[in-house]
Amino acid sequence: IAALSTTQLTSLDNAHLSAISTSALAGLGTAQVQALTTALGRYIAELLERADCGLVLDVNNVYVSSVNHGFDPGEFLRGLPADRVRQIHLAGHSQGPEGMLIDTHDASVCAEVWSLYQAATARFGACATMIERDDAIPPLGDLLDELGAPNAYLQYDIYHAQRMEGELAATLAQHLPRIGHIQLADNPGRHEPGTGEINYPYLFDHLDRLGYSGWVGCEYKPTTTTAAGLGWARPYLPSTHTALPVSTP
C-alpha cells in the first residue's frame, strides 16, 4: 500500500472530491479520471487544485470519449491545468456498434491518438508515458517500433529461447540491433554453460562475429558451487580476471 501513487476513478460526482482528498492525505499523489466530457474539464481542474494532487492523463480515453460524446478533445486538454499532469497513458481501441469506440487496449495506437498526444505534450511538457496493451499482443519488436524509443531494447534469454523454439544463432542475428542484454543458462536443468545441449562456444563466437557489445548476464543454478560454476567463463574474461577458484568451502 505504501508504494501506491494513484487513485483511479471511473465517474465524477460530489463524493469524488472527498475521495481524492482522502487519497492525497493517505499519500497517493495522483488521480486518474476515466469518465470524460468537455464540461468536466473545469471540474477536474478544481478537484486537482483543492486536493493538491497530480493527474494521470489517458489520451486514448480522451479521444474515445470525444468521439462517443461529441466534444472537442483539444479543447478538453486546454481546459486541464498544465502543471498537474504527471503521467500520460496511450492505448488502442476497437470499433463498437453504431460508430461507438471501445477502450479495449487490443490494438496499436491510432494516428488520431498520436496527434492528440503531440498536442498534450505541447501543453503539458515531456512526462512519463505508458502504452497499454492488454490483448492481441504482437511480437515485442513490433511494440518497440510503436514505442519508437532509441533507448528501449530486448533482453534475449538463451535458455528460454532454446526451450521454446531453438534456432538460436539465426534469431540472435535477426534481432541483434534490438538486443541490449543477453541472459544465459544451459538446457536442460538451467545450469551453467557446458552442462547441457546448447553449444555456447559457438554462440559466443557468433556474437563476436556479429559485433554484439551489450550486456551478458548469468541466470542459472550452478551444478556445485558458484565459483566452480563460473569455470566456463575463463576464456572470455580479461587476463587480469582469469584466476577463478575451482571451488569454495
Side-chain angles (χ1 to χ4, degrees), residues 48-233:
L48 298 174
E49 181 66 27
R50 294 176 63 182
D52 191 24
C53 68
L55 177 69
V56 176
L57 176 63
D58 193 315
V59 171
N60 184 62
N61 281 347
V62 174
Y63 176 74
V64 167
S65 295
S66 72
V67 172
N68 293 342
H69 297 285
F71 65 84
D72 183 344
E75 181 183 346
F76 178 86
L77 293 181
R78 290 188 293 272
L80 296 176
D83 60 339
R84 291 290 181 178
V85 174
R86 299 289 185 267
Q87 188 182 94
I88 293 177
H89 286 192
L90 302 172
H93 51 262
S94 60
Q95 188 77 43
E98 301 179 357
M100 179 175 291
L101 299 183
I102 303 175
D103 184 31
T104 48
H105 294 190
D106 61 357
S108 298
V109 180
C110 71
E112 292 82 359
V113 172
W114 280 120
S115 179
L116 193 60
Y117 173 64
Q118 290 181 330
T121 55
R123 172 164 174 74
F124 306 117
C127 60
T129 300
M130 180 175 69
I131 298 178
E132 301 179 84
R133 191 71 177 249
D134 298 333
D135 199 4
I137 299 175
L140 185 55
D142 294 349
L143 292 176
L144 290 177
D145 286 338
E146 183 178 14
L147 181 62
N151 60 341
Y153 292 93
L154 297 174
Q155 176 178 280
Y156 186 85
D157 190 312
I158 292 178
Y159 168 78
H160 284 107
Q162 172 69 6
R163 288 177 59 88
M164 293 174 64
E165 59 183 4
E167 294 291 339
L168 301 176
T171 52
L172 281 168
Q174 178 183 355
H175 299 293
L176 191 74
R178 297 187 175 280
I179 295 173
H181 190 112
I182 292 175
Q183 285 193 169
L184 54 83
D186 218 329
N187 183 61
R190 198 165 190 165
H191 301 304
E192 64 267 27
T195 59
E197 64 189 4
I198 300 175
N199 188 346
Y200 270 103
Y202 172 81
L203 288 180
F204 292 148
D205 289 343
H206 181 58
L207 288 170
D208 282 342
R209 289 191 296 270
L210 293 173
Y212 177 69
S213 59
W215 292 91
V216 175
C218 305
E219 192 179 58
Y220 56 77
K221 298 173 290 185
T223 51
T224 56
T225 65
T226 298
L230 289 170
W232 63 270

Side-chain angles (χ1 to χ4, degrees), residues 224-231 234 244-249:
T224 56
T225 65
T226 298
L230 289 170
R234 286 191 183 91
L244 289 173
V246 295
S247 63
T248 57

